[in-house]
Amino acid sequence: MAWPALPAAIVGLAGAILGAGFYRAFAGQHALFPSGAVGWSLALLTGIIVGHLVAMGRARWWGGTGSGAALTLSVLLLYGWVPAGMVSLTVVVLVGVARRGRWRQGVLHGAVDILGIGVGALVLRAFGRIPSVERPWDPENWTLYSAPQVALVAVAYLVVTRALLWYLASPRGGVPTVARTAMVRQGLVAVALLGIAPLVCVVATAQPLLLPLFAIPLIALDSTLWIARARAEEQLRDPLTGLPNRQWLLERTWTALDDAERIGARAALMLIDLDRFRSVNDTLGHLAGDRLLLQIADRLRVALPRGAEAARLGGDEFAVLLPIADSTTSASRVARNLVAALGSPLDLDGLTLVLEASAGLAVFPDHALDAEGLLRRADVAMYQAKRDRTGVEVYESKRDSNTPDRLGLLGDLRRALDAHEVELHYQPKVRFDGQVAGLEALVRWVHPERGKVPPDEFIAIAESSGLMPHLTEYVLETALGQVARWRAQGLHVPVAVNVSPRDVHTPGFAGAVAARLARHGVPAGALQLEITEHVLLEDPQRAADTLAGLTGHGVKMSLDDFGTGYSSLVHLRRLPVSELKIDRSFVARLAVDNEDAEIVRCTVDLAHSLGLLVVAEGVEDDETWERLRDLGCDAVQGWLVAAAMPPDETTAWLRARGSRGWQRPAAALPAATADE
Ligand code: C2E
Ligand code: MG
Ligand code: MG
């Protein structure tokens, strides 16, 4: 409990109120509870509702439900605070017996209820009403003025009980979103109760035997409440593992940071990502992948130190918040333990799998002062741990090439991807006879404040964090969806997608691409992947395996930006590519610079001798077009033909040129060569 003195005070005060009630009853020879038909009917109604609560189990409690409150309130209005307190006491005893393990909570909630009754009784007294079993406040005597009085008593009782329960249940300030939805819900319940409590009073005096029938609407009201509450909680939960989700984590982190700041402590956030999950998912299927994630989530729950909270951010990405961390060292020890716990062998129907995990750690206030900043820095550290295969890394600003500005952009990009705000445009590649050889998908992002962000810029940021695989998945998914749509409309045009070296080094990439093709019903021949020579820099063997896997599935590879790399020609033979794209820096000067023209000629000859198609990028004018044609280039791409266009425009462009292919505008054609 957040504040042990408060529960003790509540229970003590409630005990005193009850004691006073007993004293008053015995000293004044008052009855504690009505007898006869009314008494028995009320007792039966109470019994049914308590039975329902116990049967429903879980953390529900009298004071936190609608039915209990309605009943207490009507007894309070009719017979005053002593019998109402008796109802509370009976409920505490009954539920305490039924659920012994939680009797403490029962006593506390019962005490809160009695305090609410006490305040309600004070309001009644302010209106000069002191009902008792002998002299009930009979609804027959209610007048027009009674309505606001009843309403005020109900409000006082509700505000006191709900506020206290809310305060006791919420962990140090709680989660704002839940708080907001809970407030709205409680408000609605209050209205429903206002309606039902006076009716209970009327029936109790007129036809007490009918009282137990109130169990039906009261339980129904309760169930509605419960469903609404479950819904609100679902929005903050990951449906697969039941762990809280990203939104919950961020909000919880905000509160934790406030608290840490107040008491001058550290807080730590770690991001954990499974290393080979994607390939397992692709080989064994999504169902198996889901079951593995469930096992991982369970392990995380078990291995979590006291006070720590885990969340699933999506895919195979988890986060753990340590609201109080003694030091960076102790936080990284926790991270190591978690990574070790996740890395021990998993069992899937007798199949033993080992999934290693990498974790990145960022600490408040050392690395960032806000929740989002902490998450981004943990992400940067996690990527380092993954890349260096070290298991756990603590964020270090020295090693982070990301300025705060870049980090901001990274977070915005992640959100833009989640919100599907990133678009693909398509630029045609055409052969010299005008035939459309294919389209290249180029990513486009319009930032809400900064406007268009050049792909080179945000791709570099994505590459230096853990976001690149998400971006590539997004681009592949969008491009393949578009290819499938075009094919359905009879437009059979292959699409090229740019992939980063990081993708090629991601284990299971080839399998993931094949699975995605199958899901969209697109033949592998309709997809081309553009890679650069940089793929060979890091781990040539792994890259070669991935590329062999891709070509094995029938996906064509194209070598992009040729000429800007290092040992270009030597590598050409080692890469299973079928197309080579001459970088636009050579193409641009082709018409004016003989040396560049010579480089292009040699490249075309060499590529042809290796059986590769040659595409020139960045063709902007007729002269370049003609030179390229004379040099034997196979196809061109560039603003002369078309710039990258949004999907609809591309569809129109393809349709307009469907049968004849692309023709250079007549005005631009020199007369002598207008022979196409
Ligand atoms: P790239 O793959 O070499 O793409 C060609 C770039 O040249 C594109 O720039 C395109 O708009 C531009 N371009 C096309 N025709 C002309 C022309 O006639 N003149 C000039 N001056 N430029 C022309 P963009 O779209 O800014 O893309 C830049 C780079 O960003 C791409 O170079 C590619 O490496 C990367 N990129 C773009 N989209 C993606 C993607 O979805 N995934 C990955 N991994 N990288 C991408
Ligand atoms: Mg490209
Ligand atoms: Mg290029």
Side-chain angles (χ1 to χ4, degrees):
M1 218 43 77
W3 190 10
L6 181 68
I10 291 173
V11 174
L13 194 56
I17 295 178
L18 266 188
F22 278 116
Y23 175 78
R24 220 182 70 122
F26 293 123
Q29 306 283 301
H30 289 303
L32 281 173
F33 204 69
S35 55
V38 183
W40 287 110
S41 297
L42 275 176
L44 183 59
L45 179 56
T46 312
I48 296 174
I49 293 176
V50 171
H52 171 70
L53 287 185
V54 171
M56 293 293 288
R58 289 187 287 211
R60 261 215 253 207
W61 187 257
W62 191 251
T65 68
S67 50
L71 198 53
T72 312
L73 194 58
S74 37
V75 176
L76 171 66
L77 288 172
L78 203 54
Y79 299 114
W81 57 279
V82 181
M86 290 304 118
V87 173
S88 275
L89 184 66
T90 317
V91 173
V92 171
V93 173
L94 286 181
V95 181
V97 169
R99 287 200 272 150
R100 281 191 198 131
R102 310 189 69 166
W103 68 270
R104 267 172 185 280
Q105 188 203 24
V107 169
L108 185 59
H109 284 201
V112 166
D113 207 41
I114 289 169
L115 290 197
I117 291 170
V119 174
L122 289 180
V123 175
L124 268 179
R125 184 175 284 243
F127 294 121
R129 312 220 170 269
I130 312 175
S132 65
V133 174
E134 292 73 24
R135 296 179 49 212
W137 187 22
D138 196 324
E140 283 209 356
N141 305 328
W142 289 3
T143 62
L144 202 57
Y145 298 113
S146 307
Q149 296 177 2
V150 168
L152 276 176
V153 173
V155 168
Y157 166 76
L158 283 174
V159 166
V160 170
T161 50
R162 301 297 139 127
L164 281 177
L165 284 178
W166 167 248
Y167 191 83
L168 291 169
S170 59
R172 296 229 242 125
V175 181
T177 307
V178 178
R180 259 176 271 126
T181 42
M183 290 301 185
V184 173
R185 212 172 42 235
Q186 304 293 14
L188 293 176
V189 180
V191 174
L193 287 180
L194 278 181
I196 289 187
L199 293 183
V200 176
C201 297
V202 171
V203 175
T205 44
Q207 275 298 344
L209 288 180
L210 293 183
L211 270 180
L213 283 182
F214 271 107
I216 299 166
L218 287 177
I219 287 175
L221 170 73
D222 236 11
S223 306
T224 321
L225 245 183
W226 207 240
I227 292 168
R229 184 181 199 155
R231 289 250 171 82
E233 280 170 7
E234 257 164 38
Q235 284 172 4
L236 296 173
R237 241 161 236 294
D238 160 46
L240 176 67
T241 60
L243 286 175
N245 61 16
R246 176 185 292 271
Q247 191 198 347
W248 182 94
L249 178 83
L250 282 176
E251 297 199 18
R252 179 70 190 92
T253 306
W254 272 112
T255 355
L257 297 191
D258 282 348
D259 292 340
E261 186 172 15
R262 210 177 45 235
I263 58 174
R266 288 196 158 79
L269 189 63
M270 61 188 84
L271 222 82
I272 306 178
D273 194 280
L274 304 176
D275 289 345
R276 288 188 309 128
F277 181 73
R278 230 175 5 147
S279 55
V280 171
N281 215 17
D282 292 332
T283 358
L284 300 179
H286 285 274
L287 281 180
D290 284 356
R291 283 166 55 208
L292 281 180
L293 285 176
L294 279 173
Q295 289 193 35
I296 293 284
D298 281 343
R299 279 190 180 183
L300 205 55
R301 282 195 189 97
V302 172
L304 227 47
R306 255 180 94 88
E309 322 222 33
R312 179 175 174 224
L313 304 188
D316 56 351
E317 208 174 47
F318 296 87
V320 171
L321 170 73
L322 302 180
I324 302 285
D326 299 332
S327 63
T328 306
T329 332
S330 71
S332 72
R333 197 175 321 122
V334 170
R336 274 195 196 289
N337 289 342
L338 290 176
V339 163
L342 299 188
S344 60
L346 289 154
D347 177 68
L348 193 75
D349 300 332
L351 188 70
T352 304
L353 290 166
V354 178
L355 286 182
E356 271 159 25
S358 301
L361 185 72
V363 177
F364 168 90
D366 314 46
H367 303 141
L369 297 176
D370 61 330
E372 282 89 357
L374 218 50
L375 196 60
R376 279 183 217 135
R377 282 163 177 83
D379 189 48
V380 170
M382 196 261 294
Y383 170 56
Q384 259 149 15
K386 235 181 199 325
R387 192 187 49 194
D388 304 343
R389 309 228 173 106
T390 49
V392 175
E393 284 291 332
V394 180
Y395 176 80
E396 244 183 85
S397 57
K398 286 205 293 295
R399 287 197 290 167
D400 185 4
S401 54
N402 292 308
T403 58
D405 189 53
R406 275 169 61 114
L407 281 171
L409 212 54
L410 180 67
D412 294 344
L413 178 59
R414 188 193 288 279
R415 273 190 289 278
L417 287 174
D418 287 343
H420 291 265
E421 284 164 13
V422 174
E423 288 183 11
L424 287 190
H425 284 192
Y426 299 87
Q427 187 180 36
K429 304 179 189 177
V430 300
R431 286 198 274 269
F432 285 90
D433 62 2
Q435 283 275 334
V436 179
L439 297 168
E440 177 177 5
L442 293 162
V443 68
R444 293 290 177 260
W445 177 33
V446 182
H447 188 279
E449 283 135 37
R450 303 172 191 230
K452 284 183 196 166
V453 188
D456 287 328
E457 193 177 323
F458 65 82
I459 283 164
I461 299 175
E463 270 176 333
S464 68
S465 72
L467 195 58
M468 199 58 217
H470 286 289
L471 179 65
T472 301
E473 273 169 31
Y474 180 92
V475 171
L476 272 171
E477 188 65 28
T478 315
L480 288 177
Q482 186 61 60
V483 172
R485 249 168 284 139
W486 276 328
R487 290 176 70 82
Q489 299 169 22
L491 294 167
H492 292 253
V493 55
V495 167
V497 168
N498 293 282
V499 296
S500 111
R502 269 203 67 188
D503 301 316
V504 178
H505 289 115
T506 305
F509 181 67
V513 171
R516 221 174 271 280
L517 279 165
R519 194 141 41 75
H520 286 278
V522 170
L527 177 69
Q528 200 174 28
L529 295 181
E530 297 195 1
I531 52 167
T532 60
E533 292 153 274
H534 302 270
V535 294
L536 290 175
L537 289 182
E538 229 173 76
D539 184 347
Q541 190 51 49
R542 165 111 52 105
D545 290 349
T546 304
L547 296 180
L550 285 166
T551 45
H553 286 300
V555 177
K556 292 216 179 68
M557 307 297 301
S558 172
L559 188 63
D560 206 352
D561 303 343
F562 185 78
T564 57
Y566 304 82
S567 42
S568 328
L569 300 179
V570 183
H571 282 152
L572 256 187
R573 280 183 29 231
R574 297 199 0 219
L575 286 171
V577 295
S578 55
E579 181 187 274
L580 184 150
K581 297 181 78 174
I582 305 180
D583 191 69
R584 67 170 181 270
S585 56
F586 299 100
V587 176
R589 294 191 304 263
L590 185 63
V592 289
D593 186 329
N594 277 338
E595 235 169 73
D596 279 344
E598 211 38 52
I599 292 175
V600 172
R601 177 196 305 283
C602 293
T603 309
V604 172
D605 290 348
L606 175 84
H608 281 166
S609 72
L610 289 169
L612 307 181
L613 288 172
V614 182
V615 179
E617 28 173 58
V619 180
E620 296 180 1
D621 53 57
D622 285 301
E623 203 179 341
T624 312
W625 161 283
E626 275 148 27
R627 293 292 293 272
L628 285 165
R629 187 188 50 193
D630 297 344
L631 290 171
C633 191
D634 300 289
V636 298
Q637 187 182 354
W639 296 343
L640 176 69
V641 179
M645 303 168 277
D648 290 348
E649 226 173 278
T650 312
T651 312
W653 190 93
L654 287 171
R655 283 205 191 290
R657 285 147 193 89
S659 48
R660 287 181 306 126
W662 179 75
Q663 307 287 317
R664 276 194 291 160
L669 297 178
T673 54
D675 54 1
E676 280 144 296

